[in-house]
Amino acid sequence: MENIVSILMVGIMILLGGIPSIYILVSMPVILAGKIYRKVKFGKSLYD
């Protein structure tokens, strides 16, 4: 019984850590690409 609880706890921890990590991994390049595109196309600042 303890083994099942441990496996469930590890699974929950993987989900709680993995979902934000995947979000950051995907969102950072998208944000940077958008900022670089605006810089090249419109001459806007990278910090806006």
Side-chain angles (χ1 to χ4, degrees):
M1 188 67 183
E2 284 182 28
N3 195 15
I4 295 172
V5 173
S6 296
I7 291 171
L8 287 174
M9 289 296 290
V10 169
I12 291 170
M13 287 189 279
I14 288 171
L15 284 174
L16 290 177
I19 291 172
S21 297
I22 291 170
Y23 174 75
I24 291 169
L25 186 69
V26 170
S27 68
M28 288 304 291
V30 170
I31 291 169
L32 288 173
K35 286 183 174 289
I36 292 169
Y37 172 76
R38 288 189 329 163
K39 174 70 174 173
V40 170
K41 179 111 175 159
F42 304 112
K44 295 193 176 194
S45 173
L46 292 175
Y47 301 106
D48 288 338

